[in-house]
Amino acid sequence: MSESQAGTTTGAPGLTEVLLVTGLSGAGSSTVANLLEDAGWYVVDNVPHTLIRSMVDVARRDDSAISRMAIVMRIQIDSYASALDALRSELALTGVDPKVVFIEASDQVLVQRFEQVRRRHPLQGNGTLISAIATERAMLAAVKERADLVIDTSNLSVARLRVIIEGAYANASVADVSVVVESFGFKYGLPIDADMVADVRFLPNPHWVPELRDHNGLEEPVRDYVLGQEGADEFLEKYEQILRLVGAGYRREGKRYMTVAIGCTGGKHRSVAMSEAIAARLSCPADGAAAFAVRVAHRDLGRE
């Protein structure tokens, strides 16, 4: 695998970076596109090279919400290499310096992949698969030579490929693990999308305190009651440590989303207060670890 230094593009106020993703058919451009999208890029796949300039112009407008655009380009014409060079030069004249990522793989791996998905190579015609691969490789040799980053996916897992893409092009504010902390009531069933479930029914139930029964865990009297119980603070401290440990593992494995479900009997008092407290802890950096991007949801709050 060959990796050159990835640069940073300077463009207009709206659009700051443009990335052109190309390479051999079957090498993994679509996977790279998905990884870039996870890393915060606006991704467009299989765009004719004649339309790219117009797309970039739209994204550069002051009212555009697109700051980083990745465009997957697939071989469409015999003069692909010269067309790509012309496109880069044309965009450079407008103040946009697009970077090119080239994705390749060995002939053996490409043959295996096409046989697995039972699809024809776009250049195969009436010829053999291996001859089509050779033709495309020759047509794209100049593109590969002038690419800013070349990735050989022959022996790469998706997790390793994610590390490479994020190391070169990730937006740090997006590429971290996003956590949803969701309160729920056990009597209404477990959340089916939960990655981790915690039971806080070991704490006294405010339902049995007359002045708290009609309130919920978002309100100060209930929150103070729940968090003031013996074991509440210790649980929060230890569970935060567990979630940070799991979150670090998710980062290493390329999993970017985690749903943590916190349950009590009805999902109104204890689970709500504890979910808010856990979310507040995870939102803050701790022991050198970055804060998580956290959102709180209360599934059963308001149900009878």
Side-chain angles (χ1 to χ4, degrees):
M1 176 176 64
S2 171
E3 299 176 34
S4 63
Q5 183 66 35
T8 301
T9 304
T10 301
L15 189 67
T16 60
E17 292 178 271
V18 173
L19 197 61
L20 304 177
V21 180
T22 189
L24 299 176
S25 302
S29 295
S30 294
T31 301
V32 170
N34 291 335
L35 297 177
L36 286 168
E37 191 169 39
D38 288 346
W41 290 74
Y42 180 85
V43 178
V44 185
D45 198 349
N46 200 17
V47 179
H49 72 282
T50 54
L51 297 181
I52 291 177
R53 167 65 189 276
S54 297
M55 292 180 56
V56 171
D57 287 343
V58 171
R60 296 182 72 217
R61 296 187 319 201
D62 291 342
D63 60 347
S64 172
I66 301 172
S67 62
R68 314 173 91 204
M69 175 183 286
I71 303 170
V72 180
M73 300 178 63
R74 306 185 189 278
I75 193 163
Q76 298 160 336
I77 55 176
D78 292 340
S79 56
Y80 184 79
S82 59
L84 182 58
D85 285 342
L87 174 64
R88 296 184 75 174
S89 298
E90 184 181 3
L91 291 177
L93 293 175
T94 69
V96 176
D97 181 19
K99 302 302 179 184
V100 175
V101 179
F102 189 90
I103 313 300
E104 68 170 351
S106 68
D107 288 356
Q108 180 180 359
V109 169
L110 291 175
V111 169
Q112 290 174 347
R113 290 175 182 173
F114 274 102
E115 289 180 344
Q116 287 173 354
V117 298
R118 298 183 179 181
R119 295 189 63 186
R120 295 174 62 84
H121 191 284
L123 300 181
Q124 189 168 344
N126 295 323
T128 64
L129 174 57
I130 194 66
S131 65
I133 293 172
T135 298
E136 185 178 44
R137 195 181 293 278
M139 292 175 64
L140 297 181
V143 176
K144 174 184 174 181
E145 183 179 351
R146 294 191 285 274
D148 298 282
L149 178 65
V150 177
I151 304 176
D152 187 332
T153 65
S154 300
N155 299 307
L156 289 182
S157 65
V158 175
R160 175 57 186 157
L161 182 57
R162 182 185 293 274
V163 170
I164 294 171
I165 294 300
E166 289 185 353
Y169 299 112
N171 181 339
S173 65
V174 176
D176 208 345
V177 178
S178 296
V179 180
V180 175
V181 181
E182 181 179 38
S183 69
F184 73 97
F186 276 98
K187 71 178 183 179
Y188 301 115
L190 292 170
I192 61 174
D193 60 343
D195 297 297
M196 300 183 67
V197 177
D199 185 351
V200 295
R201 289 177 294 183
F202 69 92
L203 298 170
N205 191 349
H207 176 81
W208 303 114
V209 180
E211 59 269 28
L212 299 179
R213 178 175 299 176
D214 294 331
H215 298 276
N216 63 64
L218 294 176
E219 299 175 84
E220 185 176 352
V222 175
R223 182 178 67 245
D224 291 347
Y225 176 86
V226 172
L227 299 183
Q229 296 302 315
E230 181 179 358
D233 192 61
E234 183 180 2
F235 171 84
L236 290 171
E237 181 178 348
K238 293 186 181 300
Y239 200 54
E240 177 191 359
Q241 293 174 357
I242 292 173
L243 292 176
R244 290 189 180 278
L245 178 65
V246 173
Y250 274 24
R251 290 189 189 97
R252 290 191 297 271
E253 294 300 313
K255 182 175 172 62
R256 289 291 173 258
Y257 307 97
M258 177 167 64
T259 299
V260 179
I262 310 296
C264 63
T265 302
K268 178 180 179 180
H269 297 110
R270 293 166 291 181
S271 62
V272 172
M274 295 294 277
S275 292
E276 292 285 340
I278 289 172
R281 285 172 171 260
L282 293 178
S283 298
C284 299
D287 298 329
F292 291 97
V294 184
R295 182 171 65 87
V296 186
H298 301 297
R299 191 192 72 176
D300 299 322
L301 186 60
R303 295 181 66 162
E304 294 297 332

Coordinates of all heavy atoms in Angstrom, one line a residue, residues 94-170:
T94 N -10.6 28.7 -10.0 CA -11.7 29.3 -9.2 C -11.4 29.3 -7.7 O -12.2 29.7 -6.9 CB -13.0 28.4 -9.4 OG1 -12.9 27.2 -8.8 CG2 -13.3 28.3 -10.9
G95 N -10.2 28.9 -7.4 CA -9.8 28.9 -6.0 C -10.0 27.7 -5.2 O -9.8 27.6 -4.0
V96 N -10.4 26.6 -5.9 CA -10.6 25.3 -5.3 C -9.4 24.4 -5.7 O -9.2 24.2 -6.9 CB -11.9 24.7 -5.7 CG1 -12.1 23.3 -5.1 CG2 -13.1 25.6 -5.2
D97 N -8.8 23.8 -4.7 CA -7.7 22.9 -5.0 C -8.1 21.4 -4.6 O -7.9 21.0 -3.5 CB -6.4 23.3 -4.2 CG -5.2 22.4 -4.5 OD1 -5.2 21.7 -5.5 OD2 -4.3 22.3 -3.6
P98 N -8.7 20.7 -5.6 CA -9.2 19.4 -5.2 C -8.0 18.4 -5.1 O -7.0 18.4 -5.8 CB -10.0 19.0 -6.5 CG -9.4 19.8 -7.6 CD -8.9 21.1 -7.0
K99 N -8.2 17.5 -4.1 CA -7.3 16.4 -3.9 C -7.8 15.1 -4.5 O -9.1 14.9 -4.5 CB -7.0 16.2 -2.4 CG -6.4 17.5 -1.7 CD -5.2 18.0 -2.4 CE -4.6 19.2 -1.7 NZ -3.4 19.8 -2.4
V100 N -7.0 14.2 -4.9 CA -7.4 13.0 -5.5 C -7.0 11.8 -4.7 O -5.8 11.7 -4.3 CB -6.8 12.9 -6.9 CG1 -7.2 11.5 -7.6 CG2 -7.3 14.0 -7.8
V101 N -7.9 10.9 -4.4 CA -7.6 9.6 -3.7 C -7.8 8.5 -4.7 O -8.9 8.4 -5.4 CB -8.6 9.4 -2.5 CG1 -8.3 8.1 -1.9 CG2 -8.4 10.5 -1.5
F102 N -6.8 7.7 -4.9 CA -6.9 6.6 -5.9 C -7.0 5.3 -5.2 O -6.1 5.0 -4.3 CB -5.7 6.6 -6.8 CG -5.7 5.7 -8.0 CD1 -6.3 6.1 -9.2 CD2 -5.3 4.4 -7.8 CE1 -6.3 5.2 -10.2 CE2 -5.3 3.5 -8.9 CZ -5.9 3.9 -10.1
I103 N -8.0 4.5 -5.5 CA -8.2 3.2 -4.8 C -7.8 2.1 -5.8 O -8.4 2.0 -6.9 CB -9.7 3.0 -4.3 CG1 -10.1 4.3 -3.6 CG2 -9.8 1.8 -3.4 CD1 -9.4 4.7 -2.4
E104 N -7.0 1.2 -5.4 CA -6.6 0.1 -6.2 C -6.5 -1.2 -5.4 O -6.6 -1.3 -4.2 CB -5.2 0.3 -6.9 CG -4.1 0.3 -5.9 CD -2.7 0.3 -6.6 OE1 -2.7 0.2 -7.8 OE2 -1.7 0.5 -5.9
A105 N -6.4 -2.4 -6.2 CA -6.2 -3.7 -5.6 C -5.5 -4.6 -6.6 O -5.4 -4.2 -7.8 CB -7.6 -4.3 -5.2
S106 N -5.1 -5.7 -6.1 CA -4.4 -6.6 -7.0 C -5.3 -7.3 -8.0 O -6.6 -7.3 -7.8 CB -3.7 -7.7 -6.2 OG -4.6 -8.6 -5.6
D107 N -4.8 -7.8 -9.1 CA -5.7 -8.5 -10.1 C -6.4 -9.6 -9.5 O -7.6 -9.8 -9.7 CB -4.8 -9.0 -11.3 CG -4.3 -7.8 -12.2 OD1 -4.7 -6.7 -11.9 OD2 -3.6 -8.1 -13.1
Q108 N -5.8 -10.4 -8.7 CA -6.4 -11.6 -8.1 C -7.6 -11.2 -7.2 O -8.6 -11.8 -7.2 CB -5.3 -12.4 -7.2 CG -5.9 -13.6 -6.6 CD -4.9 -14.3 -5.7 OE1 -3.7 -13.9 -5.7 NE2 -5.3 -15.4 -5.1
V109 N -7.4 -10.2 -6.4 CA -8.4 -9.7 -5.5 C -9.6 -9.1 -6.3 O -10.8 -9.4 -6.0 CB -7.9 -8.7 -4.5 CG1 -9.0 -8.0 -3.7 CG2 -6.9 -9.3 -3.5
L110 N -9.3 -8.4 -7.3 CA -10.4 -7.8 -8.1 C -11.2 -8.9 -8.8 O -12.4 -8.8 -8.9 CB -9.8 -6.9 -9.2 CG -9.2 -5.6 -8.7 CD1 -8.5 -4.8 -9.8 CD2 -10.2 -4.7 -8.0
V111 N -10.5 -9.9 -9.3 CA -11.2 -11.1 -9.9 C -12.1 -11.7 -8.9 O -13.3 -12.0 -9.2 CB -10.2 -12.1 -10.5 CG1 -11.0 -13.4 -10.9 CG2 -9.5 -11.5 -11.8
Q112 N -11.6 -12.0 -7.7 CA -12.4 -12.6 -6.7 C -13.7 -11.8 -6.3 O -14.8 -12.3 -6.1 CB -11.6 -12.8 -5.4 CG -10.5 -13.9 -5.6 CD -9.6 -14.0 -4.4 OE1 -9.6 -13.1 -3.5 NE2 -8.8 -15.0 -4.3
R113 N -13.5 -10.5 -6.2 CA -14.6 -9.6 -5.9 C -15.7 -9.6 -6.9 O -16.9 -9.6 -6.7 CB -14.1 -8.2 -5.6 CG -13.3 -8.1 -4.3 CD -12.7 -6.7 -4.1 NE -11.9 -6.6 -2.9 CZ -11.1 -5.6 -2.6 NH1 -11.1 -4.5 -3.3 NH2 -10.4 -5.6 -1.5
F114 N -15.3 -9.5 -8.2 CA -16.3 -9.5 -9.3 C -17.0 -10.8 -9.4 O -18.2 -10.9 -9.6 CB -15.6 -9.2 -10.6 CG -15.5 -7.7 -10.9 CD1 -14.3 -7.0 -10.7 CD2 -16.6 -7.0 -11.3 CE1 -14.2 -5.7 -11.0 CE2 -16.5 -5.6 -11.6 CZ -15.3 -5.0 -11.4
E115 N -16.3 -11.9 -9.1 CA -16.9 -13.3 -9.1 C -17.9 -13.4 -8.0 O -18.9 -14.0 -8.1 CB -15.9 -14.3 -9.1 CG -15.1 -14.5 -10.4 CD -14.0 -15.5 -10.3 OE1 -13.7 -16.0 -9.2 OE2 -13.5 -15.9 -11.4
Q116 N -17.5 -12.8 -6.8 CA -18.4 -12.9 -5.6 C -19.7 -12.2 -5.8 O -20.8 -12.7 -5.5 CB -17.7 -12.4 -4.4 CG -16.6 -13.3 -3.9 CD -15.8 -12.6 -2.8 OE1 -16.0 -11.5 -2.4 NE2 -14.9 -13.4 -2.2
V117 N -19.7 -11.0 -6.5 CA -20.9 -10.2 -6.7 C -21.6 -10.5 -8.0 O -22.7 -10.1 -8.2 CB -20.6 -8.7 -6.6 CG1 -20.1 -8.3 -5.2 CG2 -19.6 -8.3 -7.7
R118 N -20.9 -11.4 -8.8 CA -21.5 -11.8 -10.1 C -21.9 -10.6 -11.0 O -23.0 -10.6 -11.6 CB -22.7 -12.7 -9.9 CG -22.3 -14.0 -9.1 CD -23.5 -14.9 -9.0 NE -23.0 -16.1 -8.2 CZ -23.9 -17.2 -8.0 NH1 -25.1 -17.1 -8.3 NH2 -23.4 -18.2 -7.3
R119 N -21.0 -9.6 -11.1 CA -21.2 -8.5 -11.9 C -20.1 -8.4 -13.0 O -19.0 -8.8 -12.7 CB -21.2 -7.2 -11.1 CG -22.4 -7.1 -10.1 CD -22.5 -5.7 -9.5 NE -22.8 -4.7 -10.6 CZ -22.8 -3.4 -10.3 NH1 -22.5 -2.9 -9.1 NH2 -23.0 -2.6 -11.3
R120 N -20.4 -7.9 -14.1 CA -19.4 -7.7 -15.2 C -18.6 -6.4 -14.9 O -19.1 -5.4 -14.4 CB -20.1 -7.6 -16.5 CG -20.8 -8.9 -17.0 CD -21.6 -8.6 -18.3 NE -20.7 -8.3 -19.4 CZ -20.0 -9.2 -20.1 NH1 -20.2 -10.5 -19.8 NH2 -19.3 -8.8 -21.1
H121 N -17.4 -6.5 -15.3 CA -16.5 -5.3 -15.3 C -17.0 -4.3 -16.3 O -17.5 -4.7 -17.4 CB -15.1 -5.7 -15.6 CG -14.1 -4.6 -15.3 ND1 -13.9 -3.5 -16.2 CD2 -13.2 -4.4 -14.3 CE1 -13.0 -2.7 -15.7 NE2 -12.5 -3.3 -14.6
P122 N -17.1 -3.0 -16.0 CA -17.6 -2.0 -16.9 C -16.9 -1.9 -18.3 O -17.5 -1.5 -19.2 CB -17.5 -0.7 -16.2 CG -16.5 -0.9 -15.1 CD -16.7 -2.4 -14.7
L123 N -15.7 -2.4 -18.3 CA -14.9 -2.4 -19.6 C -14.8 -3.8 -20.2 O -14.1 -4.0 -21.2 CB -13.5 -1.9 -19.4 CG -13.4 -0.4 -18.9 CD1 -11.9 0.0 -18.8 CD2 -14.2 0.5 -19.8
Q124 N -15.6 -4.8 -19.7 CA -15.4 -6.1 -20.1 C -15.9 -6.4 -21.5 O -15.3 -7.1 -22.3 CB -16.0 -7.1 -19.1 CG -15.7 -8.6 -19.4 CD -16.1 -9.4 -18.2 OE1 -16.4 -9.0 -17.1 NE2 -16.2 -10.7 -18.4
G125 N -17.1 -5.9 -21.8 CA -17.6 -6.2 -23.2 C -17.8 -7.7 -23.4 O -18.3 -8.4 -22.6
N126 N -17.2 -8.1 -24.6 CA -17.2 -9.5 -24.9 C -15.9 -10.2 -24.5 O -15.7 -11.4 -24.8 CB -17.5 -9.7 -26.4 CG -18.9 -9.2 -26.8 OD1 -19.9 -9.4 -26.0 ND2 -19.0 -8.6 -28.0
G127 N -15.0 -9.5 -23.9 CA -13.8 -10.1 -23.5 C -13.8 -10.7 -22.1 O -14.8 -10.9 -21.5
T128 N -12.6 -11.0 -21.6 CA -12.5 -11.6 -20.3 C -12.3 -10.6 -19.2 O -12.0 -9.4 -19.5 CB -11.2 -12.5 -20.3 OG1 -10.0 -11.7 -20.4 CG2 -11.2 -13.6 -21.4
L129 N -12.6 -11.0 -18.0 CA -12.5 -10.1 -16.9 C -11.1 -9.6 -16.7 O -10.9 -8.4 -16.4 CB -13.0 -10.9 -15.6 CG -12.9 -10.1 -14.3 CD1 -13.6 -8.8 -14.3 CD2 -13.5 -11.0 -13.1
I130 N -10.1 -10.5 -16.7 CA -8.8 -10.2 -16.5 C -8.2 -9.2 -17.5 O -7.5 -8.2 -17.2 CB -7.8 -11.4 -16.4 CG1 -6.5 -11.0 -15.8 CG2 -7.7 -12.1 -17.8 CD1 -6.5 -10.6 -14.4
S131 N -8.7 -9.3 -18.8 CA -8.3 -8.3 -19.8 C -8.9 -7.0 -19.5 O -8.3 -5.9 -19.8 CB -8.6 -8.8 -21.2 OG -10.1 -8.9 -21.3
A132 N -10.1 -6.9 -19.1 CA -10.8 -5.7 -18.7 C -10.1 -5.0 -17.6 O -9.9 -3.7 -17.6 CB -12.2 -5.9 -18.4
I133 N -9.7 -5.7 -16.6 CA -8.9 -5.2 -15.5 C -7.6 -4.6 -16.0 O -7.2 -3.5 -15.6 CB -8.7 -6.2 -14.4 CG1 -10.0 -6.6 -13.7 CG2 -7.7 -5.7 -13.3 CD1 -9.9 -7.8 -12.8
A134 N -6.9 -5.3 -16.8 CA -5.6 -4.8 -17.4 C -5.8 -3.5 -18.2 O -5.0 -2.6 -18.1 CB -5.0 -5.9 -18.2
T135 N -6.9 -3.5 -19.0 CA -7.2 -2.3 -19.8 C -7.4 -1.1 -18.9 O -6.9 0.0 -19.1 CB -8.4 -2.5 -20.7 OG1 -8.1 -3.6 -21.6 CG2 -8.7 -1.3 -21.4
E136 N -8.2 -1.3 -17.8 CA -8.5 -0.2 -16.9 C -7.3 0.3 -16.2 O -7.1 1.5 -16.0 CB -9.6 -0.6 -16.0 CG -10.1 0.6 -15.1 CD -11.2 0.2 -14.1 OE1 -11.1 -0.9 -13.5 OE2 -12.2 1.0 -14.0
R137 N -6.5 -0.7 -15.8 CA -5.3 -0.3 -15.0 C -4.4 0.5 -15.9 O -3.7 1.5 -15.4 CB -4.6 -1.6 -14.6 CG -3.5 -1.4 -13.5 CD -2.8 -2.7 -13.1 NE -3.7 -3.6 -12.4 CZ -4.0 -3.5 -11.1 NH1 -3.5 -2.5 -10.4 NH2 -4.8 -4.4 -10.6
A138 N -4.2 0.2 -17.2 CA -3.4 1.0 -18.1 C -4.0 2.4 -18.3 O -3.2 3.4 -18.3 CB -3.3 0.3 -19.4
M139 N -5.3 2.5 -18.4 CA -6.0 3.7 -18.6 C -5.8 4.7 -17.5 O -5.7 5.9 -17.6 CB -7.4 3.5 -18.9 CG -7.7 2.8 -20.3 SD -9.5 2.5 -20.5 CE -10.2 4.1 -20.6
L140 N -5.7 4.1 -16.3 CA -5.7 4.9 -15.0 C -4.3 5.1 -14.5 O -4.1 5.7 -13.4 CB -6.6 4.3 -14.0 CG -8.1 4.3 -14.3 CD1 -8.9 3.7 -13.2 CD2 -8.6 5.7 -14.7
A141 N -3.3 4.6 -15.2 CA -1.9 4.6 -14.6 C -1.5 6.1 -14.3 O -0.9 6.4 -13.3 CB -0.9 4.0 -15.6
A142 N -1.8 7.0 -15.3 CA -1.4 8.4 -15.1 C -2.2 9.0 -13.9 O -1.6 9.9 -13.2 CB -1.7 9.2 -16.4
V143 N -3.5 8.6 -13.7 CA -4.3 9.2 -12.6 C -3.6 8.7 -11.3 O -3.5 9.5 -10.4 CB -5.7 8.7 -12.7 CG1 -6.5 9.2 -11.5 CG2 -6.3 9.2 -14.0
K144 N -3.3 7.5 -11.2 CA -2.7 7.0 -10.0 C -1.4 7.7 -9.7 O -1.1 8.1 -8.5 CB -2.4 5.5 -10.1 CG -1.6 4.9 -9.0 CD -1.3 3.4 -9.2 CE -0.4 2.8 -8.1 NZ 0.0 1.4 -8.4
E145 N -0.6 7.9 -10.7 CA 0.7 8.6 -10.5 C 0.6 10.0 -10.0 O 1.4 10.4 -9.2 CB 1.5 8.6 -11.9 CG 2.9 9.2 -11.8 CD 3.5 9.2 -13.2 OE1 3.0 8.6 -14.1 OE2 4.6 9.8 -13.3
R146 N -0.5 10.7 -10.3 CA -0.6 12.1 -9.9 C -1.6 12.2 -8.7 O -1.9 13.3 -8.3 CB -1.1 12.9 -11.1 CG 0.0 13.0 -12.1 CD -0.4 14.1 -13.2 NE -1.4 13.7 -14.1 CZ -1.2 13.0 -15.2 NH1 0.0 12.7 -15.5 NH2 -2.2 12.7 -16.0
A147 N -2.0 11.1 -8.1 CA -3.0 11.1 -7.0 C -2.3 11.6 -5.7 O -1.1 11.4 -5.6 CB -3.6 9.8 -6.8
D148 N -3.0 12.3 -4.9 CA -2.5 12.7 -3.6 C -2.4 11.6 -2.5 O -1.6 11.7 -1.6 CB -3.4 13.9 -3.0 CG -3.4 15.0 -4.0 OD1 -2.4 15.8 -4.0 OD2 -4.4 15.2 -4.7
L149 N -3.3 10.6 -2.7 CA -3.3 9.5 -1.8 C -3.7 8.2 -2.5 O -4.7 8.2 -3.2 CB -4.3 9.7 -0.6 CG -4.4 8.6 0.4 CD1 -3.2 8.4 1.2 CD2 -5.6 8.9 1.4
V150 N -2.8 7.2 -2.5 CA -3.1 5.9 -3.1 C -3.3 4.9 -2.1 O -2.4 4.7 -1.2 CB -1.9 5.5 -4.1 CG1 -2.2 4.2 -4.7 CG2 -1.7 6.6 -5.2
I151 N -4.4 4.1 -2.1 CA -4.7 3.1 -1.1 C -4.9 1.8 -1.9 O -5.8 1.7 -2.7 CB -5.9 3.4 -0.3 CG1 -5.8 4.8 0.4 CG2 -6.2 2.4 0.7 CD1 -7.0 5.3 1.1
D152 N -4.1 0.8 -1.5 CA -4.3 -0.6 -2.0 C -5.1 -1.3 -1.0 O -4.7 -1.6 0.1 CB -2.9 -1.2 -2.2 CG -3.0 -2.6 -2.9 OD1 -4.1 -3.2 -2.8 OD2 -2.0 -3.0 -3.6
T153 N -6.3 -1.7 -1.4 CA -7.3 -2.4 -0.5 C -7.2 -3.9 -0.5 O -8.0 -4.6 0.1 CB -8.7 -2.0 -0.8 OG1 -9.0 -2.5 -2.1 CG2 -8.9 -0.5 -0.8
S154 N -6.2 -4.5 -1.2 CA -6.1 -5.9 -1.4 C -6.1 -6.7 -0.1 O -6.8 -7.7 0.1 CB -4.8 -6.3 -2.1 OG -4.7 -5.7 -3.4
N155 N -5.4 -6.2 0.9 CA -5.3 -6.9 2.2 C -5.9 -6.0 3.4 O -5.5 -6.3 4.5 CB -3.9 -7.3 2.5 CG -3.3 -8.2 1.4 OD1 -3.9 -9.2 1.1 ND2 -2.2 -7.8 0.9
L156 N -6.7 -5.1 3.1 CA -7.3 -4.2 4.1 C -8.7 -4.6 4.5 O -9.5 -4.9 3.7 CB -7.4 -2.7 3.6 CG -6.0 -2.0 3.4 CD1 -6.4 -0.6 2.9 CD2 -5.2 -1.9 4.6
S157 N -8.9 -4.7 5.8 CA -10.2 -4.8 6.4 C -10.9 -3.5 6.3 O -10.2 -2.4 6.2 CB -10.2 -5.3 7.8 OG -9.6 -4.3 8.6
V158 N -12.2 -3.5 6.4 CA -12.9 -2.2 6.4 C -12.5 -1.3 7.6 O -12.4 -0.1 7.5 CB -14.5 -2.4 6.4 CG1 -15.2 -1.1 6.6 CG2 -14.9 -3.1 5.2
A159 N -12.2 -2.0 8.8 CA -11.8 -1.3 9.9 C -10.5 -0.6 9.7 O -10.3 0.6 10.1 CB -11.7 -2.2 11.1
R160 N -9.5 -1.3 9.1 CA -8.2 -0.6 8.8 C -8.4 0.5 7.7 O -7.7 1.5 7.8 CB -7.2 -1.7 8.3 CG -5.9 -1.2 7.8 CD -5.2 -0.4 8.9 NE -4.0 0.2 8.4 CZ -3.4 1.3 8.9 NH1 -4.0 1.9 10.0 NH2 -2.3 1.8 8.4
L161 N -9.2 0.2 6.7 CA -9.5 1.3 5.7 C -10.1 2.5 6.4 O -9.7 3.6 6.0 CB -10.4 0.7 4.6 CG -10.7 1.7 3.5 CD1 -9.5 2.1 2.8 CD2 -11.7 1.0 2.5
R162 N -10.9 2.3 7.3 CA -11.5 3.5 8.1 C -10.5 4.3 8.8 O -10.5 5.5 8.8 CB -12.6 3.0 9.1 CG -13.3 4.1 9.8 CD -14.2 3.6 10.9 NE -15.3 2.8 10.3 CZ -16.5 3.4 10.0 NH1 -16.6 4.7 10.0 NH2 -17.4 2.7 9.5
V163 N -9.5 3.6 9.4 CA -8.4 4.3 10.1 C -7.6 5.1 9.1 O -7.3 6.3 9.4 CB -7.5 3.2 10.8 CG1 -6.2 3.9 11.3 CG2 -8.2 2.5 11.9
I164 N -7.3 4.6 7.9 CA -6.6 5.3 6.9 C -7.4 6.6 6.5 O -6.8 7.7 6.4 CB -6.2 4.4 5.7 CG1 -5.3 3.3 6.2 CG2 -5.6 5.3 4.6 CD1 -5.1 2.3 5.1
I165 N -8.6 6.4 6.2 CA -9.5 7.5 5.7 C -9.6 8.6 6.8 O -9.5 9.8 6.5 CB -10.8 7.0 5.2 CG1 -10.7 6.1 4.0 CG2 -11.8 8.2 4.9 CD1 -10.1 6.8 2.8
E166 N -9.9 8.1 8.0 CA -10.1 9.1 9.0 C -8.8 9.8 9.4 O -8.7 11.0 9.7 CB -10.7 8.4 10.3 CG -12.1 8.0 10.1 CD -12.7 7.5 11.4 OE1 -12.0 7.3 12.3 OE2 -14.0 7.2 11.4
G167 N -7.7 9.1 9.3 CA -6.4 9.7 9.6 C -6.0 10.8 8.6 O -5.4 11.8 8.9
A168 N -6.5 10.7 7.4 CA -6.2 11.6 6.3 C -7.2 12.7 6.2 O -6.9 13.9 5.9 CB -6.0 10.9 5.0
Y169 N -8.5 12.3 6.4 CA -9.6 13.3 6.0 C -10.7 13.4 7.0 O -11.8 14.0 6.6 CB -10.2 12.8 4.6 CG -9.2 12.8 3.5 CD1 -8.8 11.6 2.9 CD2 -8.6 14.0 3.0 CE1 -7.8 11.6 1.9 CE2 -7.7 14.0 2.0 CZ -7.3 12.8 1.5 OH -6.3 12.8 0.5
A170 N -10.6 12.9 8.1 CA -11.8 12.9 9.0 C -11.9 14.3 9.6 O -11.0 15.0 9.9 CB -11.6 11.9 10.2

